[in-house]
Amino acid sequence: MENFPAHRILVSVRTDDLDTNAFLSTSLVLVTLLTTFVPFITLLGNVSLIVTVAGAGIVYMIFLFSTGTILEGIGSAVFVLAVFNANVPILSVSGGSQFNLLLVDIVAILAFVMFVARRYPDKSLEISPIEKLAFSAFGCFVAWSFISAIVGHGPSQLSGFVFALTQTRYLFLFVTSMLIIRESCIECGIYPLLISIFGNLLFSLVEIINGGAFGLTYLGEGYGRVFSQFMIGPIILNAGMYAGGFADNSRVLTAMILIALPIALSTFNYRSWSNVLFSMVLVVAASILIRVSETDAGWMALLVTSSIMLAYVVYYGIRNAVCERHGWTTTNAIVAITFTTFLYLKRSVKSAPSSDTTIGAGTGGSSSSGTGTASNSPSAADFSIRLADGVIELFSYIPFISSNTLPVRLDQYIAAIKIGLQYPLFGIGGLNFVLVSESFGLPKGMAIHNTILAYLAATGFVGVLGYLISVTALLYVSFNRSISLKYDDSLLWAGITTSMLGFHAFSFWVTAHDWVQAQTVFWLIGGIILGANKRRS
């Protein structure tokens, strides 16, 4: 029996020490296969995409077996494939939403079994009180999503059920990520995730040069259309949703970039000039992607993340803890702020047609007259209109910020709050707001462009409270390490803290709650935070 491959795999899972470099090398191989080998063979060789993806999978498994890095390769694949929107549709519901079986789901199940087998039966999963709070609160949010789907006041229980299933996926990946990091180290999750996100970023630059997507939809490439054109020097580029790599669309990839970039700035800026140069290239590429995406929310979120990183460096300076690594982080943060501002200053001179109202951003009127249509109280409606008009006027004084879509967003927010007040326990169920948006004076099928308010409408105050407690607990753990650990480690945790803040700054204005890949990456980061607290003994 000892000669059977399955037995050898089981023994290696239980006894072999995990190699950090193996996580790095396997993720590089897999990302290279998916972002270079597969597109090249498919497009130039006129070969079916399904065939080339299957071939890439076979090559990857051969590499793992030949190098003896099966466990590391499966673990790193969870973080790599989380970025890819490769899926098979399972269940569709009213409003255009659906539940898909993702490629990462299959690999994550395998990784979960293997890493649980590695721990069983002689290792307990020690969890601190704050970690228990983060895990339990998110678990409560997921459970409440199912309850809201059943007893909520929305028109479609099936839509609520699909929403709850999606949240269950995030919880499962959250736990799987924590298990992998407990058995290895924080770099074993961070590096594969960064490599995958930046591999997709580089492919998105190819899409930008091409002026559109290549049609590799089975691997996750989207069909985002072109909105307008803009110029960088003599170069004319198309602005739109098409440049998303294999993460579906450019705004989904932007959300992941906002997670990855602060961590990269705190990780790559040392050891060699090539790392420093690579960091600067990533900053410029991220700025171009955000400009192409035509998203003011992404621009502001990048400025927020860069400013927070600068604030961290100032804090470390006050602690007399500044090193060369901090200096390069400062340089890259300034480059991000300067280059992004330059792109948007140019946009303000020759503005392109507003496009935040298309493809996931919704449409709306030019005033807040639609606010409060579902209210039975004229005074409440009048107050809502006055409040919305006041906010719009305030934003009109902020330079270079387009307020064209602000009125309709405020209408959404007021509608979400009204739903929460009317149905405080269970809301209307997930994915149901798009089915009732017209009753609030909003266009048909419009989603709420704010994650927290969307969850409030979907699950009531009880559900959204669980989500907020979980995210706050994760943020507390990360922030605490950023100010208490040694210098190099503290900067890494500063990057993780900043990434969480930047992601939520972006999701405050967009429908990030519907972006499966972005949410998956966020909860993998959550698992990394908890997993890195206590390594296996």
Side-chain angles (χ1 to χ4, degrees), residues 296 354 356-357 361 364-368 371 387-396 398 401-413 442 508-509:
D296 285 346
S354 177
D356 275 347
T357 58
S366 59
S367 70
S368 58
T371 303
L387 177 62
D389 287 341
V391 174
I392 293 169
E393 183 178 1
L394 177 64
F395 268 74
S396 67
I398 302 177
I401 296 294
S402 173
S403 60
N404 293 341
T405 59
L406 182 59
V408 74
R409 277 170 167 76
L410 294 177
D411 288 347
Q412 297 167 20
Y413 302 162
L442 296 166
F508 187 89
W509 292 106

Side-chain angles (χ1 to χ4, degrees), residues 19-20 23 75-76 79 180-181 184-192:
D19 183 1
T20 303
F23 276 85
S76 67
F79 298 98
I180 294 173
I181 301 306
S184 53
C185 64
I186 187 171
E187 290 83 4
C188 294
I190 291 294
Y191 288 162

Side-chain angles (χ1 to χ4, degrees), residues 284-332:
V284 173
S287 301
I288 294 175
L289 173 67
I290 293 174
R291 176 62 185 90
V292 166
S293 300
E294 283 282 358
T295 167
D296 285 346
W299 173 50
M300 294 303 296
L302 181 59
L303 294 181
V304 167
T305 56
S306 301
S307 300
I308 294 175
M309 288 303 295
L310 287 176
Y312 261 115
V313 172
V314 171
Y315 168 75
Y316 293 137
I318 295 174
R319 288 177 55 192
N320 296 319
V322 173
C323 64
E324 180 184 3
R325 189 174 173 185
H326 297 146
W328 283 116
T329 299
T330 302
T331 301
N332 278 299

Side-chain angles (χ1 to χ4, degrees), residues 262-271 276 279-280 306 308-335 481-483 485-495:
I263 302 175
L265 293 183
S266 63
T267 303
F268 294 158
N269 288 325
Y270 69 113
R271 294 179 181 170
V276 174
S279 298
M280 290 187 177
S306 301
I308 294 175
M309 288 303 295
L310 287 176
Y312 261 115
V313 172
V314 171
Y315 168 75
Y316 293 137
I318 295 174
R319 288 177 55 192
N320 296 319
V322 173
C323 64
E324 180 184 3
R325 189 174 173 185
H326 297 146
W328 283 116
T329 299
T330 302
T331 301
N332 278 299
I334 293 174
V335 169
R481 292 174 193 164
S482 72
I483 62 175
L485 297 180
K486 293 182 179 180
Y487 307 145
D488 283 352
D489 291 334
S490 66
L491 187 58
L492 171 59
W493 284 104

Side-chain angles (χ1 to χ4, degrees), residues 392-477:
I392 293 169
E393 183 178 1
L394 177 64
F395 268 74
S396 67
Y397 292 106
I398 302 177
F400 317 124
I401 296 294
S402 173
S403 60
N404 293 341
T405 59
L406 182 59
V408 74
R409 277 170 167 76
L410 294 177
D411 288 347
Q412 297 167 20
Y413 302 162
I414 293 172
I417 294 172
K418 287 180 177 179
I419 292 174
L421 293 174
Q422 186 174 1
Y423 308 115
L425 288 180
F426 304 109
I428 60 174
L431 302 178
N432 270 270
F433 185 84
V434 295
L435 305 178
V436 301
S437 59
E438 287 182 290
S439 65
F440 292 92
L442 296 166
K444 182 179 180 180
M446 173 169 282
I448 299 172
H449 288 60
N450 181 292
T451 295
I452 295 173
L453 292 179
Y455 289 163
L456 170 63
T459 63
F461 283 97
V462 178
V464 76
L465 182 62
Y467 174 83
L468 288 173
I469 290 175
S470 179
V471 171
T472 302
L474 291 172
L475 189 60
Y476 171 81
V477 172

Side-chain angles (χ1 to χ4, degrees), residues 154-190:
S156 173
Q157 288 185 338
L158 185 59
S159 293
F161 182 70
V162 167
F163 173 81
L165 278 179
T166 303
Q167 306 310 310
T168 304
R169 166 191 284 137
Y170 302 148
L171 179 62
F172 174 70
L173 291 170
F174 178 48
V175 174
T176 302
S177 173
M178 181 176 65
L179 285 174
I180 294 173
I181 301 306
R182 286 288 172 95
E183 289 298 300
S184 53
C185 64
I186 187 171
E187 290 83 4
C188 294
I190 291 294

